[in-house]
Amino acid sequence: MSAPVHIDATSPAHTMPLHKFDVSDPKLYQDDAWHPYFDRLRREDPIHYVSDSPYGPYWAISKYKDIMHCEVHHEVFSNEIGGIQIEEQPKDMQRPSFIRMDPPRHDDQRKVASPIVAPANLANMEPLIRERTRIVLDALPRNQTFDWVQEVSIKLTTMMLATLFDFPFEERTKLTYWSDVAICNVNAPDAPVHSEAERFDELKKMAEHIGRLFNERRGQPPKFDLLSMLAHGAATRDMPLNEFMGNLALLIVGGNDTTRNSMTGGLLALNQFPDEYRKLQADPELVDGAVSEIIRWQTPVIHMRRTTSHDTELGGKQIKAGAKVVMWYISGNRDPEAIDSPDSFIIDRARPRQHLSFGFGIHRCVGNRLAELQLKILWQEILLRFPKIEVVGDAQRVYSNFIRGIRSMPVRIPA
C-alpha cells in the first residue's frame, strides 16, 4: 500500500516534555504535523491536562473510548456551559445555537431542522444533487491544472446550501462567505475577518439579510426548506437576534465544511494511496465504504469542546466542575485500539462508519447522511467519467484547530 508515512523522527513531539504539550496550535494542522503529538498522547497521557495555552487551561482527550464517554454522558460534559470550541466567544458576542445547548432546549430546536435530512427528503433531493454534480464535472478542463477546491468542492456545496435554505440561487456565494466568516481563525492572514468584533458584525449582517427571507416565510404556508422550518417551528420562530445568528451559522457551516473538505480530502487520500484508488476503479460498488473512510481520514472537524457540569473522573484523572474538556476527533479517528491500521486509508474496511467525524450521541451531526449522499454521488459520477484525477501539487491547508480545511489543491485530468 503506497502512501506517505506520517513519522518524523525530528518532531519535537518525541523530545518535548509532556507537560509542555499543547495540541491547540493551529499551525500543527495547517502543516499536517499533528500525528506524532497525538500518537504520544494516546500512549502516555490520553487524558492530558494543559495548564497554559492561548485558550486557557484545558483537558486534551485523545483516545476513541474516552471521547465516546464524553459524547454519551452529556449530563456531565455540557455543550451549553461553555460552547463547542476550545476558543471562547466573547461574552458580549455570544451566539447560542442548538449545538451549544443541552436538553431540553437542544432537543426542541434540533427537531425543527432535522426533517430536512430525513430519508424521504434525501431521496427527493438525490436527482438534483446528481444533475448538478454531472454539470460541474462535465465542465472541468482536461489536460490542464486547475484548483479542485474552487471548481468542484465549493461549487457543489454552495449549490446545496442554496437548496437547503431555498436561498436566492444567484446570491448563493454569500452563504459560502458567511460560512467562512463564522468558522475562520481570525489570526489567519487569509481570513475574511480579522477580529471577533468584525466577525460579529458580518454575522449580524447575515442575520439581517436572511431575516428578511425568514419573515417572508413566516407569513407563508410552511415549506420544506430550513428557513421555513425555523420560521414555523415553535422552538425557533421567536429566537432573539444572537440566537438566530447562531443557528443560521451552525446550519450553514454544517451544510458546508464537512462536505467541502471531504470532497477535497478524499481525492487527496486516493492519490496518496493509489492501490486503493485502483481498487475503487475496479469495483465502484465499494463507493459507500470509501465515502465513510474518506470522512474518517479527513476528519473535517478537528475537535469539539465540552465543559464539566460537576466534578467527575475520566480515565483515572479527576476533573473539576467547570473544566474545559476538548475531544480531539482527529486523534480518536487514528486510535489503533478502536480502528485497525488507522494510519492506512482502506476503502473496504469491515466497519467503515466506526469513526468520530460526525460526533456521537445527542449532538451527532444532523446532516451526516446528506454529506455521505453528496460524496457518494460525486464519486459515482467521477468513476463513470475519468480514468484518474491526479493531484499535481501540495494541498494548501487552512490555519485552524477546529476545521481541517483545505484552501486549494491543484489537480489535472489527463486527456
Side-chain angles (χ1 to χ4, degrees):
M1 193 172 296
S2 173
V5 178
H6 297 290
I7 296 174
D8 178 5
T10 67
S11 170
H14 301 294
T15 56
M16 182 187 298
L18 271 177
H19 73 269
K20 292 188 176 180
F21 266 43
D22 175 17
V23 288
S24 71
D25 183 359
K27 198 80 170 66
L28 287 175
Y29 309 100
Q30 185 178 41
D31 294 343
D32 205 29
W34 50 273
H35 303 76
Y37 292 90
F38 285 112
D39 284 346
R40 190 169 169 204
L41 283 179
R42 287 193 303 268
R43 288 194 310 270
E44 299 181 27
D45 195 18
I47 313 294
H48 174 67
Y49 185 66
V50 180
S51 60
D52 183 29
S53 86
Y55 311 99
Y58 70 93
W59 290 89
I61 315 303
S62 56
K63 295 196 73 149
Y64 186 104
K65 67 179 178 65
D66 297 322
I67 293 171
M68 287 289 281
H69 178 91
C70 297
E71 294 276 31
V72 300
H73 290 92
H74 58 266
E75 73 284 359
V76 177
F77 299 92
S78 166
N79 283 34
E80 191 161 329
I81 297 173
I84 61 168
Q85 290 180 248
I86 190 170
E87 186 170 13
E88 309 277 352
Q89 289 182 355
K91 294 284 187 194
D92 57 343
M93 300 178 195
Q94 291 193 350
R95 300 174 295 279
S97 63
F98 64 78
I99 200 173
R100 292 171 58 92
M101 296 175 184
D102 296 332
R105 291 179 69 215
H106 162 269
D107 302 349
D108 293 341
Q109 291 199 1
R110 182 182 168 112
K111 285 176 187 174
V112 173
S114 58
I116 195 78
V117 288
N121 199 44
L122 292 184
N124 290 335
M125 288 193 287
E126 182 170 349
L128 178 61
I129 297 171
R130 192 172 298 277
E131 178 189 4
R132 288 174 174 170
T133 302
R134 288 170 173 167
I135 290 170
V136 167
L137 293 179
D138 287 341
L140 296 177
R142 305 299 195 273
N143 208 28
Q144 68 182 66
T145 300
F146 65 93
D147 181 7
W148 182 260
V149 176
Q150 291 295 326
E151 296 303 320
V152 178
S153 302
I154 288 178
K155 284 185 177 180
L156 289 176
T157 50
T158 302
M159 287 190 284
M160 191 71 248
L161 280 176
T163 298
L164 291 172
F165 283 88
D166 192 17
F167 190 81
F169 204 70
E170 66 279 4
E171 297 182 15
R172 63 191 182 277
T173 57
K174 291 178 180 176
L175 295 169
T176 306
Y177 169 73
W178 289 326
S179 178
D180 291 341
V181 167
I183 215 68
C184 73
N185 186 307
V186 296
N187 297 313
D190 59 348
V193 292
H194 294 287
S195 70
E196 290 300 328
E198 192 179 351
R199 189 201 312 269
F200 190 85
D201 287 345
E202 288 299 301
L203 294 179
K204 187 176 179 181
K205 291 175 187 174
M206 170 198 72
E208 290 167 350
H209 187 96
I210 297 181
R212 291 190 284 272
L213 297 173
F214 179 87
N215 290 330
E216 287 176 10
R217 307 277 162 89
R218 186 154 49 183
Q220 298 168 349
K223 297 191 299 180
F224 218 67
D225 66 78
L226 282 171
L227 278 183
S228 185
M229 290 173 176
L230 293 174
H232 289 274
T236 53
R237 63 190 174 206
D238 296 315
M239 292 180 284
L241 176 62
N242 65 334
E243 194 170 303
F244 185 53
M245 290 166 65
N247 272 318
L248 286 178
L250 168 64
L251 293 168
I252 291 171
V253 170
N256 179 53
D257 278 279
T258 296
T259 313
R260 179 209 293 191
N261 292 306
S262 294
M263 284 177 172
T264 305
L267 180 57
L268 177 59
L270 286 163
N271 271 261
Q272 292 174 325
F273 289 80
D275 291 348
E276 297 300 296
Y277 203 160
R278 286 188 283 270
K279 188 191 297 182
L280 183 59
Q281 290 167 324
D283 185 2
E285 293 299 313
L286 296 174
V287 73
D288 284 333
V291 163
S292 291
E293 180 69 343
I294 285 168
I295 294 168
R296 178 193 76 88
W297 185 260
Q298 179 61 23
T299 313
V301 177
I302 296 171
H303 80 262
M304 278 282 180
R305 173 259 183 104
R306 303 290 185 259
T307 305
T308 47
S309 59
H310 52 268
D311 293 357
T312 190
E313 180 182 313
L314 182 61
K317 299 284 184 79
Q318 300 299 316
I319 301 178
K320 295 290 187 182
K324 186 183 295 188
V325 176
V326 183
M327 306 177 296
W328 294 97
Y329 290 166
I330 199 167
S331 176
N333 276 342
R334 301 296 182 95
D335 185 350
E337 291 186 10
I339 298 168
D340 292 336
S341 302
D343 289 324
S344 293
F345 180 82
I346 304 170
I347 65 169
D348 52 355
R349 288 185 178 277
R351 301 170 66 190
R353 300 189 83 238
Q354 185 185 350
H355 61 74
L356 293 166
S357 296
F358 291 127
F360 197 77
I362 65 168
H363 295 290
R364 182 174 173 84
C365 174
V366 70
N368 64 315
R369 293 295 189 180
L370 175 58
E372 290 173 336
L373 177 62
Q374 289 175 269
L375 288 161
K376 174 181 176 178
I377 289 172
L378 174 63
W379 277 101
Q380 285 175 335
E381 296 298 327
I382 287 173
L383 293 170
L384 287 172
R385 280 167 176 72
F386 311 126
K388 188 174 184 184
I389 304 173
E390 300 171 344
V391 177
V392 294
D394 292 336
Q396 300 301 311
R397 298 182 182 276
V398 172
Y399 181 85
S400 175
N401 62 20
F402 187 61
I403 293 295
R404 193 171 179 225
I406 299 176
R407 186 172 64 249
S408 64
M409 188 174 75
V411 304
R412 179 179 172 273
I413 302 172

